[in-house]
Amino acid sequence: RKNFQDMGNVMNDIYFKEFSTPVGRMLALATDQGLCGLEYCQSARQELWKGRQSRWFPDTKLVSGDHPHLTECQRWLDAYFQSNWDRLPKVPLDQRGSAFELQVWQSMLKIPRGQTLTYMELAITIGNANASRAVGNASRRNPISLIVPCHLVIGSNASLTGYGGGLENKHYLLAHEDALRDGLADKN
């Protein structure tokens, strides 16, 4: 576990704001380094965030209000849901997790819009073909939904499996990005 105090970048505040989206209400969270969370406003996702905060953001407090990274997140969400793919702003991210989780999340950021990968394909991408279940667990722990596109990762039989925002939202997002593989829509 890293000690962020030793890095000289102690951030005591995590700013948050709720946004309304076509897939439901979402909670965006940011430190001064970048966006650290974009979670569905669902109890299971909120509980997961509380655990992440105590582990990866110790000694922080949540502060409701505006922050430049939250404004960029709102601009990203607006462009995304309006299908303005060329206008998606680059949102600074403050990703914290295990080395494996960070590797999986960085690989997810490289999945082109409109394409999907299976958990096994993503495991192969990171160099460990036997890690598809671990990739699934890292995907479940992804705290920055949509921007880190865990919704683009699907089951090996092209099924919509494991999405914290719900399978109906995963289907919506894949359809929105024209990422439904042949037969994918029929299996769910």
Side-chain angles (χ1 to χ4, degrees):
R1 180 170 165 177
K2 292 181 181 177
N3 183 342
F4 290 97
Q5 292 178 342
D6 292 343
M7 297 171 64
N9 288 326
V10 176
M11 295 297 134
N12 292 322
D13 293 336
I14 296 177
Y15 300 89
F16 72 92
K17 191 171 190 176
E18 280 191 29
F19 297 117
S20 228
T21 75
V23 292
R25 300 217 31 96
M26 298 193 82
L27 180 68
L29 302 112
T31 65
D32 286 335
Q33 280 91 12
L35 191 71
C36 61
L38 181 59
E39 289 283 6
Y40 288 89
C41 291
Q42 300 168 348
S43 59
R45 297 306 297 176
Q46 299 304 306
E47 286 304 313
L48 193 59
W49 167 256
K50 287 178 187 174
R52 291 191 59 70
Q53 182 182 359
S54 67
R55 180 171 183 192
W56 299 109
F57 298 90
D59 303 320
T60 60
K61 68 178 191 269
L62 295 177
V63 177
S64 177
D66 290 324
H67 188 279
H69 298 314
L70 297 177
T71 302
E72 281 303 294
C73 178
Q74 177 67 68
R75 287 183 56 234
W76 191 97
L77 289 168
D78 290 344
Y80 176 85
F81 285 111
Q82 294 168 10
S83 301
N84 289 332
W85 312 119
D86 296 336
R87 292 189 175 181
L88 290 173
K90 178 86 170 134
V91 179
L93 302 179
D94 184 359
Q95 294 179 296
R96 299 185 195 182
S98 71
F100 183 79
E101 288 171 335
L102 293 170
Q103 184 181 24
V104 170
W105 300 337
Q106 287 301 309
S107 294
M108 287 176 178
L109 285 168
K110 296 174 185 169
I111 302 172
R113 185 191 57 77
Q115 294 183 21
T116 58
L117 287 180
T118 66
Y119 293 100
M120 180 175 284
E121 289 169 334
L122 191 54
I124 290 167
T125 298
I126 64 170
N128 188 346
N130 297 320
S132 58
R133 185 163 289 171
V135 165
N137 285 331
S139 179
R140 184 181 74 80
R141 286 180 167 73
N142 171 27
I144 307 176
S145 297
L146 306 180
I147 294 174
V148 178
C150 56
H151 61 278
L152 295 177
V153 186
I154 60 174
S156 59
N157 63 351
S159 62
L160 299 185
T161 60
Y163 186 61
L167 295 183
E168 61 284 341
N169 283 338
K170 187 170 188 169
H171 187 273
Y172 175 91
L173 295 169
L174 291 171
H176 179 69
E177 293 188 38
D178 293 325
L180 291 174
R181 289 185 175 185
D182 290 338
L184 188 60
D186 300 332
K187 293 188 184 235
N188 299 284

